[in-house]
Amino acid sequence: MTFAPRPRDAIFSVAPYVGGESVVAGANQAIKLSSNEGAFGAPPAAIAAIAEASVGIHRYPDGSSTALRSAIGKRFGLDPSRIVCGNGSDELLTLLIQSYGGVGTELTMSAHGFLVYEIAAKIAGMTVRKAPERNLTTDIDAILAHITPATRVVCLANPNNPTGSLVHQSEIARLRSKLPTDVLLVLDAAYAEYVDDPDYDPGIQLADAGSNTVMTRTFSKIFGLGGVRLGWAYACTPIVDVLNRARGPFNVSSLAAAAGIAALADPAWAVRSRTHNSRARTRLTERLHSIGITTYRSHANFLLADFGTPARARAADLHLRSCFIITRPMSAYALPRCLRITIGTDKECDAVADALADFCGLHPHV
Ligand SMILES: *Cc1c(COP(=O)(O)O)cnc(C)c1O
């Protein structure tokens, strides 16, 4: 009899994360609107910085990302000693969940919150509690009703992916004030740079106000650097200390750090991207509504389009693929009647609207 190595049972409680697809059979180049990458690609300065840094790749990177943290601190007006950089914000989210959660404890999230929280919590041996939403928006009272003595972590993406919904600062502050003080609140602000609502704070205020809230940010969306994997967290010193113990010694590559520093050096990039996004999102929303497709109010660089039934959403997805356009089916988020569409360039938005107009002509909603 032979015995094979056996992982912990928790490993099999999660399905592997499936990212947005990027190829369509038969197409050389598809329009990829499936992963919320910024509409304008990577900043040219970041590409140049990677080329320049590549001559040094035989050296290990700076294990404490000093220059990068200093650039982030300068750009956002934050103390660099309270910043931790990571291999994408996914790494930091996972480390926070592993460090503050664990077997026998619970994580609370919104019903259609970001999937990475659930995956990381289950791997850590935690029970995941999902609070129902109201009109696909996080319901703070429902989150509070899903807190138990075993809750250790609450994760909230604001704006949320995949719904695009936003929770105003007063409501986030109310959540924090009603949560037990020993529960870690993780505010995931991956789309912060796209928000143009004045009553919004990505998490800096609460991270500054106490020792139990952490904000995470990413270079993968507006900064166009998803491929190099770069994110950061901002918190009080004790949480920063935990992340620095839990992370790998060289978790940020020298190329990622160089690209991040270069991207931050151009403040106009984010302004131009946000301006484009708000305008293109409004235009795409109007076009989809004019052909009878429901969308939800989005504060990020994507729209959740509701096709009424899972069958019609599948048909729409197939039609878009036949036009070499890839969006994101939403079954994994328990929204099988929806597709999530990233806001691309004007040309890409027009292509997706034209293709869906064809689709609605062929498949009128009955
Ligand atoms: C894209 C995204 C992330 C970021 O991931 P990285 O690991 O930094 O690429 C985090 N949270 C949400 C809600 C996202 O949509």
Side-chain angles (χ1 to χ4, degrees), residues 37 218-221 223-230:
E37 295 136 338
T218 183
F219 281 86
S220 302
K221 305 291 159 55
F223 290 110
L225 295 178
V228 296
R229 315 301 304 124
L230 187 58

Side-chain angles (χ1 to χ4, degrees), residues 327-363:
T327 62
R328 188 72 156 267
M330 286 282 109
S331 300
Y333 284 93
L335 295 166
R337 62 180 199 277
C338 297
L339 296 177
R340 193 193 65 200
I341 306 170
T342 303
I343 304 298
T345 61
D346 284 331
K347 222 174 125 192
E348 291 170 334
C349 290
D350 285 345
V352 78
D354 290 346
L356 286 173
D358 283 350
F359 171 78
C360 290
L362 295 166
H363 302 258

Side-chain angles (χ1 to χ4, degrees), residues 128-202:
V128 176
R129 291 193 182 269
K130 291 192 181 180
E133 302 190 352
R134 239 191 275 185
N135 190 27
L136 294 195
T137 301
T138 306
D139 179 342
I140 296 301
D141 291 309
I143 298 257
L144 289 167
H146 284 71
I147 303 302
T148 78
T151 310
R152 294 291 176 276
V153 183
V154 172
C155 286
L156 200 157
N158 194 29
N160 185 51
N161 172 16
T163 56
S165 63
L166 185 91
V167 181
H168 287 133
Q169 174 56 16
S170 50
E171 278 289 277
I172 299 281
R174 185 168 73 85
L175 170 65
R176 181 66 271 179
S177 72
K178 296 257 173 79
L179 280 175
T181 54
D182 63 351
V183 167
L184 181 72
L185 175 61
V186 180
L187 295 172
D188 174 354
Y191 300 95
E193 290 83 2
Y194 288 108
V195 176
D196 47 23
D197 188 311
D199 187 9
Y200 171 71
D201 184 88

Side-chain angles (χ1 to χ4, degrees), residues 22-48:
S22 53
V23 288
V24 181
N28 290 335
Q29 198 109 62
I31 295 179
K32 182 176 189 285
L33 301 175
S34 58
S35 297
N36 301 340
E37 295 136 338
F40 299 137
I47 296 171

